[in-house]
Amino acid sequence: DVHLGLYCLFICVAGNVEFFLNEVPTTIEPFCLYAISPETIIKPKSKRDGTILKVLCFTKDFLLKNNFKSSALDDFRFFANSNFNKIGLTQEEVSSILQLYDFLSTKKDHSQSVYHLEIIRSQFYAFLYEAQSIYAKDFTRTQSNRKRENELNQKFNELIKTQAILQKNLKFYADALYVTPKYLISAIKNASGKTPGVLIDEAIIEEAKQALVHTDLSIVEIADRLQFTDIATFSKFFKRYTALSPSAFRKNFQRS
């Protein structure tokens, strides 16, 4: 295990590498910016040949010695929010970050200029503030996407309350909500932790339970009411989610 004790910003520009970051397996993906605080414990997991990381590391003392205010790190939310942060980059943002990084890399070994340290310092600050600007935009994008996903999840759940018995096809719900099936799956999974198919099945199971407990309908009639082709298919479906056959479920409830 490696406890760096440093603030690090890095971007993978080729290949990929896997780390354990605070015991969590993490794949470092190309062209995302990663921020690591001093508390993070890093343990290598795997690496592909040809992997290239561009890394910028520094200490808080370095900031303070270079005329930075003591609360400087509070400005950089990618360090303050957690011990590890992944920042999504657009193509334009990748270009901007790499230009700043490459400029710092070339200047650090060329100290002929009387203003060498001032140039390094200003470019270092520019790098940090560019990263913060990107993080702020990414955070806004993420929050906006999360809000939309939560709203879509709510509408989806309202829809399946009335339609699950009649409509089990994902495309029906995607069309009704004006999104693609692929986006619907992703959004519902992000918002609820479950796929749309599972939520549809759960709604059907709930209808089946209500019918078994609160009506005198036969199991054949309930299966037909829930649009199953035959009782065997219904029983198999019901048992998969409850570990009981419909008749056993009804008997258990009646005994209780």
Side-chain angles (χ1 to χ4, degrees):
D1 293 3
V2 179
H3 193 169
L4 291 179
L6 299 169
Y7 292 95
C8 290
L9 284 165
F10 63 91
I11 183 170
C12 178
V13 295
N16 62 52
V17 60
E18 293 181 306
F19 293 118
F20 288 102
L21 297 175
N22 293 334
E23 303 301 324
V24 178
T26 305
T27 300
I28 304 303
E29 300 174 359
F31 303 114
C32 289
L33 185 63
Y34 294 87
I36 296 178
S37 70
E39 296 79 17
T40 306
I41 297 174
I42 303 175
K43 180 180 178 181
K45 185 182 177 186
S46 68
K47 176 184 176 182
R48 290 186 181 177
D49 292 339
T51 297
I52 300 174
L53 299 179
K54 297 204 172 186
V55 184
L56 175 68
C57 295
F58 61 93
T59 65
K60 187 173 184 178
D61 286 344
F62 174 81
L63 292 183
L64 299 181
K65 287 177 182 177
N66 285 279
N67 301 321
F68 230 58
K69 57 186 179 180
S70 60
S71 59
L73 287 168
D74 293 341
D75 291 340
F76 306 123
R77 297 299 176 186
F78 44 82
F79 289 130
N81 283 358
S82 66
N83 292 334
F84 170 71
N85 242 313
K86 173 183 174 181
I87 307 168
L89 301 178
T90 65
Q91 200 167 20
E92 182 181 350
E93 289 164 348
V94 168
S95 176
S96 175
I97 282 290
L98 290 181
Q99 283 178 8
L100 288 168
Y101 180 89
D102 290 342
F103 186 88
L104 276 169
S105 296
T106 56
K107 288 296 179 182
K108 70 178 182 179
D109 297 323
H110 296 81
S111 55
Q112 310 94 310
S113 170
V114 67
Y115 299 113
H116 173 70
L117 292 178
E118 286 75 10
I119 293 170
I120 290 291
R121 187 181 297 121
S122 65
Q123 288 301 311
F124 173 75
Y125 296 159
F127 189 100
L128 291 187
Y129 281 113
E130 179 68 11
Q132 173 55 29
S133 174
I134 291 169
Y135 174 76
K137 285 188 284 185
D138 181 65
F139 181 79
T140 300
R141 285 194 298 261
T142 300
Q143 291 297 100
S144 177
N145 289 341
R146 190 169 297 155
K147 180 180 178 182
R148 187 183 179 205
E149 288 170 350
N150 287 337
E151 290 173 349
L152 187 64
N153 183 56
Q154 183 178 351
K155 290 178 181 177
F156 175 74
N157 278 284
E158 290 171 356
L159 195 57
I160 61 176
K161 285 178 184 177
T162 59
Q163 299 296 322
I165 294 174
L166 300 173
Q167 298 290 344
K168 300 177 179 66
N169 191 319
L170 184 65
K171 191 173 185 307
F172 165 82
Y173 296 96
D175 289 345
L177 295 168
Y178 304 103
V179 296
T180 65
K182 183 178 179 180
Y183 180 76
L184 183 63
I185 293 171
S186 173
I188 300 304
K189 183 73 183 295
N190 288 340
S192 70
K194 298 178 180 179
T195 64
V198 167
L199 292 173
I200 292 168
D201 286 352
E202 288 180 349
I204 296 169
I205 289 293
E206 187 57 34
E207 287 287 338
K209 288 179 178 179
Q210 293 298 317
L212 289 166
V213 170
H214 298 296
T215 77
D216 294 325
L217 293 171
S218 69
I219 294 174
V220 172
E221 289 172 321
I222 293 172
D224 184 62
R225 184 179 180 181
L226 296 177
Q227 306 289 306
F228 286 90
T229 54
D230 53 60
I231 189 172
T233 304
F234 170 58
S235 295
K236 184 178 179 181
F237 172 82
F238 189 87
K239 192 170 184 178
R240 187 167 84 241
Y241 281 94
T242 67
L244 293 171
S245 67
S247 57
F249 180 86
R250 175 173 266 174
K251 286 176 184 177
N252 280 0
F253 185 87
Q254 288 171 344
R255 280 201 298 266
S256 62

